[in-house]
Amino acid sequence: MQGRVIFLLEERAMRVLLEGWLPRLFPGWIDGQHFQCVPHDGKSDLDRSIPLKLSSWRIPGDRFVIVRDNDNADCIDLKARLRSLCTQHGRPETLIRLVCQELESWYLGDLNRRRARHGAALGAGEKPLGELEGVRCRRASCGNQHGLARTLELTDRGSKASKPLPSSTRPGAALGV
């Protein structure tokens, strides 16, 4: 693989998750050598940062993935706005992955599949964050995301929201990885 995959992330918790999960998904991937996670302090910080980072990044071969919570926004409008930003700033090939509805849904899809084995899946209206309140990453400490990254299933996960990220970053995918 030439260049790295640069993940522009909404929050530190996503960085912690990806740094633990990506090397499991793609054995041999090394943080800093094959990928780099760049966390931000929320959606506003990420949105302000995208134009600057995309237009000023000068490392040949590096490719970008933007990972952002949807948080009940119109997915089509949000993705179109982010796509426009990427195109305006010279990186139209940037992948955009929206987490539906929040990062915790990735864990919850996996958790839901596990709970379903025991007849206790979550209801349709329940929020992932509420279910995971006990393991949610606080800004001061993201230790729980390390543990969750080590336990997320690599195949046949229950979370439909998390499936596009590994499939789009795998070797030979749209990123040219």
Side-chain angles (χ1 to χ4, degrees), residues 23-143:
R24 290 183 58 231
L25 284 170
F26 311 112
W29 271 30
I30 299 168
D31 183 14
Q33 182 178 344
H34 299 100
F35 70 95
Q36 179 178 340
C37 295
V38 182
H40 294 80
D41 290 323
K43 286 179 273 307
S44 298
D45 185 37
L46 172 62
D47 291 351
R48 283 189 307 267
S49 172
I50 290 170
L52 178 62
K53 288 201 173 59
L54 294 182
S55 60
S56 63
W57 200 273
R58 298 288 178 240
I59 301 172
D62 283 359
R63 293 157 317 275
F64 290 88
V65 177
I66 296 171
V67 183
R68 185 183 187 279
D69 286 356
N70 173 25
D71 290 332
N72 294 316
D74 181 306
C75 292
I76 294 171
D77 290 345
L78 176 56
K79 197 164 186 176
R81 185 176 63 75
L82 292 171
R83 170 72 46 227
S84 178
L85 270 178
C86 295
T87 301
Q88 288 171 19
H89 295 281
R91 299 283 185 157
E93 73 284 355
T94 298
L95 284 178
I96 299 166
R97 294 294 177 241
L98 300 179
V99 179
C100 301
Q101 289 298 326
E102 51 196 24
L103 170 61
E104 290 78 10
S105 65
W106 284 14
Y107 309 134
L108 187 57
D110 196 53
L111 176 63
N112 219 4
R113 188 176 67 74
R114 292 175 187 186
R115 289 179 72 194
R117 291 179 189 155
H118 306 294
L122 291 178
E126 295 182 66
K127 293 277 283 178
L129 181 57
E131 177 65 15
L132 293 171
E133 203 60 56
V135 294
R136 182 170 182 245
C137 172
R138 307 283 184 229
R139 286 195 189 274
S141 169
C142 289

Side-chain angles (χ1 to χ4, degrees), residues 7 14 17-30 34-35 106 110 148-157 162-171 177:
F7 291 90
M14 178 58 80
L17 171 70
L18 290 178
E19 286 175 348
W21 195 31
L22 288 171
R24 290 183 58 231
L25 284 170
F26 311 112
W29 271 30
I30 299 168
H34 299 100
F35 70 95
W106 284 14
D110 196 53
L148 290 166
R150 286 190 298 269
T151 63
L152 272 175
E153 299 276 339
L154 298 178
T155 59
D156 191 34
R157 288 182 313 282
S162 67
K163 288 180 182 181
L165 184 67
S167 67
S168 61
T169 54
R170 76 179 187 285
V177 179

